[in-house]
Amino acid sequence: MTEPRDGEPPTGLDLTTAEWGMWQAFRNGSTHDLRTPYPERNDPTGPHTWGPERSVRARVVALLLLDGPPAQPGRVCALKLNGVHVTGTLDLSGGTVVPYVEMHNCRFEQQILLPESRFTTLRLVGCALPRLEAARLTTEGDLHLPRCVIPSGIRLTDAHIGSDLLLNQLMVRRDRRGLSIAADGMTVGQDLQAEMMRSDGELSMRGAKIGASLSLRGSSLNNPFGRRAFNAPQLTVERTLYLTAAGVSGSPFAGATPPYGITNTPEHGTRLQSFECQGGVRLDDGRFGDAVDLSQARFVMEADQELSLRRVQTPELRFLGERQQRGRVVLSGARVANLVDRADSWPGPGGLVMAGFFYEHLIPLGHFPLARRLEWVAAATPEYAPEPYERLAGALRASGEDADARAVLLAKQRRRRETLPLAGKAWGYLQDWTVAYGYRPGRAAVWMAVLWALGTVYFTWRPVAPLKEGEGPDWSPVLYTLDLLLPVIDLGQGNFWKPTGAAQWVVTALILLGWVLATTVAAGASRLLRRQ
C-alpha cells in the first residue's frame, strides 16, 4: 500500500461505492446518508438486511478518524453518517480523534472499542451496537447516545466527559457481570441526562461526579438479576438529582436538540411517564448541591432490598413518590435542610429507618396532620428511640409550632412508658393523667385549683386547732390550704396551727401534691419561655 496523494485513499485499500462516498463526505464535512425511501427498512434494530450498498468497513472508518485525508479547501473534516451499516469491530483504543463525529441510525456489526481514546465530540443517535467499551474515554465536548440500543452494556469507568453526557431514550441491557452501564469514577463537566432511558441490569455510578444536574426523569431501571438497579454510593451532583416523572409530548421532534419528545415542564394534558425502579437503590454518602427529587417516583423492591440514602447531604429532599409495598427506605445519618414530603409517600411500620436523620424544616404537600406525622415517626422506630421524636419537635419548634412540638415530646414520653417495668408504667400513667408529663402546665394549674377548693371545704368543716391559744392570725381555711399547697412561699399560716387525726394526713397529702404540681407548673412555664 502506497501513501495517498492529495486526499486520495491509500493505494490497495479498494474502497467500495459506499466507502468512497463516505470518504468524500468526510473531506467536505457533509453527511453521508445511505437511507432508503422506505422508513421500515431504515430501522437499525429491524429485521431487514442492509446490503453492501449500505455497508462500510470499520477499518475504513478508523482510518478516517485517526489518520484521515485533509479537508477540501474552505471545509472542515467531519464524519457524519446516517443509515450506514458498519461491519467489523470499530477499534479506536488509545487513539486521538480530532474530527467531529456524528452518526444517526447506524447499525454496527460488532462492539465499539474506545478505551483511553480522546474525542472532541462524539454523537451516536438512534444507533444499534452490541456493546460500547469506553473506559477512561476523554471528550472535550459532549458524548451523546440518545435512542441507541445496546444489548450487551456500556462501560464508561473513569471516563471524563467535558460537557454533557446524553443518554435519553437509550435502551441498554446487562453485560456478563450484570451491569447495564458501568460508570464508576466517571466525571461529567455539566449535565448528565438519561431521561426515558430503559436499563435492564445494574446502573453503577460509584464515586461519579456530575458538574450540574443528573436527570433520570421518566426512566425505567430494572434489575431482576441482582440486588440493586441503581448503585451510586459517594455520588456527587453539583445541582439536582431528578428521579421524577417526565412529560412526553406527541411529536417525536418536540425540541431542536435531544431529548426528542421530552418536556421538563409539561403543559396541561401532557402525558406523564413516571420514573420506575425495580430493584434496590444505593445513594449512600452522596452529595447533592440543590436537591434530591423523588417526585412521582415508583420503587418496586423485594423484602431484602432498600432505597438507601445513608449519610446523604443535600439542601432539599423531595420525598413525593409512590409508597412502596416491600423493601425499606433508609435515611440513617442523612442531613437535609428542607424535607418536602406527603403523608402517602412514606412506607408503613418496618419499612422506614431514620436513626440519625437530621432535617431542619418540614414542608408537607397536602394534608399531613400531626397524628399522621407521629405515625411516621412510629413507623421508623419499631423499638423506642427518643431521637426521631426530638428531631421532629425541633423542626416544629423552628417553624413556630410550639404546641405541636410539645405534643410530639408528650408522645415520646408515652412511647417510652411502654418500655418501663410495671411500677414505672403505673407512675407514668399517673403523670400523664394528672399533668401530661409536664407538657401541659395548664392541667397542673387546674389540679392546684381543685385541691385548693377541696382543702378549703375540708378545713371549713373541720377547722384546725391553734398551736397556742390567743396567738397567730385569725383562722382562714382558704389561706391555710393555699399555704400548704404553695412550696417555698410562706403565707404565715402553717406554723400557728396544730392538725391532729385525719387532718394530719390531709395536710401531708396537700404539701406533697403541692410540691409535685408546682414544680410541674414551673417546668412548663420554663419550657414556654425557652420554647422547648
Side-chain angles (χ1 to χ4, degrees):
M1 185 180 296
T2 61
E3 294 295 326
R5 295 179 299 172
D6 194 24
E8 296 297 317
T11 304
L13 187 57
D14 297 329
L15 297 182
T16 64
T17 302
E19 291 170 346
W20 176 252
M22 178 178 66
W23 189 277
Q24 295 301 322
F26 175 83
R27 294 191 62 200
N28 61 34
S30 61
T31 299
H32 187 47
D33 193 342
L34 295 182
R35 290 177 297 175
T36 71
Y38 309 100
E40 68 276 6
R41 296 181 177 272
N42 293 324
D43 183 0
T45 62
H48 298 282
T49 301
W50 291 9
E53 71 283 358
R54 300 183 64 175
S55 299
V56 299
R57 289 169 291 174
R59 60 177 291 222
V60 179
V61 174
L63 177 62
L64 288 172
L65 294 178
L66 297 177
D67 191 20
Q72 294 181 357
R75 306 305 293 267
V76 177
C77 290
L79 184 65
K80 300 179 182 179
L81 304 179
N82 200 336
V84 175
H85 182 207
V86 180
T87 61
T89 300
L90 180 57
D91 188 351
L92 303 173
S93 302
T96 298
V97 178
V98 176
Y100 175 87
V101 182
E102 181 170 329
M103 303 184 187
H104 288 255
N105 309 306
C106 291
R107 177 185 290 178
F108 291 83
E109 183 180 68
Q110 302 293 333
Q111 64 179 335
I112 299 177
L113 301 177
L114 305 178
E116 302 195 31
S117 58
R118 301 182 68 89
F119 282 78
T120 303
T121 291
L122 174 60
R123 291 191 171 101
L124 304 178
V125 180
C127 297
L129 55 148
R131 176 173 171 80
L132 177 61
E133 179 67 47
R136 298 173 296 281
L137 167 73
T138 299
T139 68
E140 296 179 14
D142 299 341
L143 173 61
H144 288 189
L145 300 170
R147 295 190 288 117
C148 287
V149 177
I150 306 177
S152 296
I154 300 172
R155 187 181 181 196
L156 289 168
T157 306
D158 298 317
H160 180 85
I161 310 303
S163 53
D164 295 335
L165 173 58
L166 193 65
L167 306 176
N168 293 338
Q169 297 168 292
L170 170 72
M171 295 185 63
V172 57
R173 298 183 180 88
R174 64 182 181 128
D175 61 13
R176 290 176 295 179
R177 297 186 300 157
L179 302 177
S180 59
I181 301 177
D184 298 344
M186 178 181 66
T187 300
V188 178
Q190 296 182 25
D191 290 320
L192 195 168
Q193 293 188 26
E195 302 180 355
M196 305 286 288
M197 177 181 73
R198 180 175 177 84
S199 166
D200 293 328
E202 180 180 305
L203 169 56
S204 181
M205 294 181 61
R206 295 181 296 177
K209 296 181 180 180
I210 311 301
S213 294
L214 168 55
S215 177
L216 288 161
R217 292 184 179 97
S219 291
S220 174
L221 310 183
N222 180 27
N223 186 17
F225 317 102
R227 186 174 182 182
R228 298 184 183 94
F230 187 23
N231 187 22
Q234 298 181 327
L235 173 65
T236 299
V237 178
E238 293 297 328
R239 296 185 63 184
T240 301
L241 169 63
Y242 294 99
L243 305 181
T244 66
V248 184
S249 66
S251 170
F253 302 103
T257 60
Y260 304 102
I262 301 174
T263 59
N264 292 340
T265 54
E267 299 177 356
H268 179 71
T270 301
R271 182 173 65 88
L272 291 178
Q273 179 166 317
S274 297
F275 169 83
E276 181 174 305
C277 182
Q278 299 190 33
V281 176
R282 185 185 179 200
L283 296 171
D284 299 348
D285 301 293
R287 300 293 182 268
F288 306 92
D290 287 346
V292 175
D293 194 345
L294 306 180
S295 301
Q296 297 179 301
R298 182 170 182 261
F299 297 94
V300 181
M301 297 183 286
E302 299 299 327
D304 62 340
Q305 294 176 332
E306 296 178 344
L307 168 56
S308 180
L309 299 167
R310 291 177 174 88
R311 299 174 298 280
V312 161
Q313 294 187 22
T314 180
E316 186 164 289
L317 172 61
R318 303 168 192 157
F319 201 89
L320 302 169
E322 298 181 17
R323 174 183 295 178
Q324 85 275 3
Q325 302 302 315
R326 290 179 291 183
R328 300 194 306 169
V329 176
V330 183
L331 290 163
S332 300
R335 297 182 66 87
V336 305
N338 299 325
L339 176 58
V340 185
D341 62 351
R342 280 200 309 263
D344 57 359
S345 292
W346 294 103
L352 178 61
V353 180
M354 294 196 305
F357 177 38
F358 178 87
Y359 50 92
E360 295 181 17
H361 305 288
L362 289 170
I363 307 175
L365 296 186
H367 187 54
F368 205 151
L370 183 61
R372 293 289 302 274
R373 188 66 76 177
L374 290 173
E375 292 176 2
W376 171 66
V377 174
T381 53
E383 297 182 357
Y384 167 72
E387 182 184 16
Y389 290 93
E390 293 168 357
R391 181 66 256 146
L392 175 58
L396 293 171
R397 194 180 305 117
S399 301
E401 302 176 41
D402 292 343
D404 285 349
R406 291 194 297 275
V408 170
L409 294 176
L410 175 58
K412 180 190 79 169
Q413 293 292 344
R414 289 171 174 168
R415 183 81 184 278
R416 174 179 175 272
R417 181 176 64 206
E418 303 305 315
T419 67
L420 299 176
L422 184 59
K425 286 182 179 179
W427 175 243
Y429 278 112
L430 179 61
Q431 284 184 298
D432 193 359
W433 184 62
T434 55
V435 295
Y437 288 95
Y439 291 107
R440 293 176 183 169
R443 185 183 294 184
V446 170
W447 278 109
M448 287 281 286
V450 170
L451 291 174
W452 187 13
L454 292 175
T456 299
V457 171
Y458 178 84
F459 290 119
T460 298
W461 288 94
R462 298 199 176 191
V464 179
L467 188 62
K468 293 183 180 180
E469 290 292 340
E471 296 184 6
D474 294 335
W475 169 248
S476 173
V478 175
L479 292 178
Y480 182 68
T481 304
L482 187 59
D483 199 8
L484 295 175
L485 286 171
L486 294 178
V488 181
I489 300 174
D490 185 4
L491 300 181
Q493 296 287 325
N495 296 328
F496 295 96
W497 311 99
K498 183 181 179 180
T500 58
Q504 288 180 309
W505 292 101
V506 174
V507 168
T508 301
L510 289 174
I511 292 173
L512 291 176
L513 291 172
W515 271 100
V516 171
L517 293 173
T519 303
T520 301
V521 171
S526 175
R527 289 191 184 96
L528 287 174
L529 292 174
R530 292 184 289 119
R531 299 186 68 198
Q532 293 184 357

